[in-house]
Amino acid sequence: MRARSGPTLEHRVVAEQLRLARERAGCGLAAVAAALDLSEATVRRIERAETALDAGQVRDLLKYYKHPEADARRIRASLARANEPGWWHRWRDVLPAWQRDVLGIESSAGVIRLWHPALVPDLLRTADYAAAVEAVRHPQAPPAVRARRTEFLRARQERFRERGAVLWGLIPEAALCTCVGSPDVMREQLDALRLATAHPNITLQVMPLTAGPHALTGAPPLELLRLPVPEVPDHAVVGGPGGEATLTHDRDTVSAYRMLMDSACGAAPAAGAELPALYRW
C-alpha cells in the first residue's frame, strides 16, 4: 500500500479522466452520489484528487458511467501505478506532509522555475550548503535527522537530472554574498553554480546588487511547475516561514506568479552571463 501523501501527477490525471467520463455519460454529481451511496462532496473531491483514489470506487464509477472497458482498464492500470510508493518513500519519516504534496507534482514536472530571495534555491545547493541551511532552520533536530534531510535533497537533485527536466533559476546576488556555512562552503557552492550553467537544461540568472526593485522584490521563495500533460494545470509552490511551503494549482494565482517571474527575469542580466566575481570567498 502506498504511504498516504499528496496526489501525484498520475492521480490528478486519473481524477480528471473520471470527471470527463461522468460528463460524457451525462451524469450529475448528485445522481452519481445517490447511485453509489456516496456524498456529493466525496464525488467532487475524487474528481479533484483531494482524497485518496480507491480502486474499488474508481471501478464502480467507471461501471456506472458505462465507460468503454478498454479505456476503463487503462485508467485502472494508471491508478495502480500511481498508488505504488513514491521514490521518496524511504525518507518519509523526515518529510513534512506539505513536502510530500509538492513531490507528487515536482517529480513529474517538465519545466521548473525557481526564485529565492536570500539563498541558493534548494535544487541547486551543494550538500554542505544544504546541511548548513538545515542546521540554522532546525537547530533542535538530531544531527541524524538533519543528515537524512540533506541526503534526501541530494536524491531529489539526482532524480531531477535523470529526468532531463528543464530548470530556470533566478537568484539575487545578495544570496551569493551571504556566507552560509563557511567561506569554503561558499566557494564550493559558487563553483557548483558555474558548472550548472554549462548544463543544457539549466538556465541561471543573477539579479545584481545594483539593480533596483523588481517584480519579485520582497516575494517569498517561489517554484513554478509546468506539467507535461494537458489534464493537469501548472502549479506554484510558495514558500513560508521556516522553510515550509504551500502548493497551489489555482489558475489565477499561478498565472499571477508566472507574470511576476517573467517580469523579474526580464529585469535581470541575460541568461548565460558570468556569475559575479565574489572575491571575498
Side-chain angles (χ1 to χ4, degrees):
M1 177 69 69
R2 187 179 65 91
R4 182 72 182 106
S5 62
T8 64
L9 174 66
E10 291 81 4
H11 285 110
R12 294 183 186 275
V13 170
V14 169
E16 178 65 10
Q17 289 172 331
L18 289 173
R19 184 186 68 80
L20 292 174
R22 176 179 60 78
E23 292 181 351
R24 290 190 188 108
C27 300
L29 289 172
V32 175
L36 299 182
D37 196 24
L38 300 171
S39 70
E40 189 172 336
T42 296
V43 178
R44 185 180 292 107
R45 293 181 69 211
I46 288 172
E47 293 184 355
R48 295 176 179 174
E50 293 176 350
T51 187
L53 295 182
D54 177 80
Q57 285 181 335
V58 170
R59 182 193 62 241
D60 291 345
L61 286 166
L62 292 171
K63 184 177 179 180
Y64 180 73
Y65 301 150
K66 295 181 172 56
H67 203 63
E69 182 54 29
D71 198 26
R73 280 198 301 270
R74 284 193 291 270
I75 293 174
R76 293 195 298 268
S78 296
L79 178 61
R81 289 192 298 271
N83 282 338
E84 294 175 355
W87 65 267
W88 59 89
H89 188 75
R90 61 179 291 194
W91 291 282
R92 66 192 182 282
D93 58 313
V94 297
L95 297 180
W98 69 263
Q99 192 161 38
R100 295 195 296 270
D101 289 347
V102 171
L103 288 169
I105 297 299
E106 184 190 82
S107 294
S108 299
V111 179
I112 301 174
R113 300 179 68 186
L114 300 171
W115 153 260
H116 199 293
L119 297 170
V120 173
D122 48 6
L123 282 176
L124 295 169
R125 291 173 188 170
T126 64
D128 287 342
Y129 186 103
V133 173
E134 279 289 333
V136 172
R137 281 185 173 162
H138 306 286
Q140 305 303 320
V145 171
R146 296 203 302 265
R148 278 179 55 72
R149 287 175 176 158
T150 302
E151 178 188 54
F152 157 72
L153 176 59
R154 294 182 68 182
R156 182 178 157 209
Q157 292 170 336
E158 181 62 28
R159 181 173 177 82
F160 160 75
R161 288 190 290 269
E162 289 174 351
R163 291 195 303 108
V166 172
L167 185 149
W168 190 308
L170 177 63
I171 306 174
E173 187 176 347
L176 307 182
C177 295
T178 300
C179 187
V180 175
S182 70
D184 285 342
V185 170
M186 290 305 301
R187 280 193 289 270
E188 180 188 36
Q189 179 64 77
L190 286 173
D191 287 343
L193 289 176
R194 291 189 178 97
L195 286 174
T197 59
H199 194 285
N201 286 1
I202 296 178
T203 299
L204 183 62
Q205 290 180 272
V206 176
M207 187 67 74
L209 287 169
T210 54
H214 54 85
L216 287 175
T217 296
L222 177 63
E223 183 175 3
L224 297 178
L225 304 171
R226 171 150 294 178
L227 285 306
V229 293
E231 296 93 338
V232 182
D234 292 355
H235 284 58
V237 184
V238 186
E244 295 185 356
T246 300
L247 178 71
T248 178
H249 59 88
D250 177 76
R251 293 182 186 275
D252 291 340
T253 301
V254 175
S255 178
Y257 277 121
R258 186 187 303 114
M259 287 190 288
L260 292 177
M261 181 78 82
D262 289 344
S263 178
C265 287
E274 281 293 317
L275 294 182
L278 303 177
Y279 299 108
R280 70 170 66 189
W281 308 128

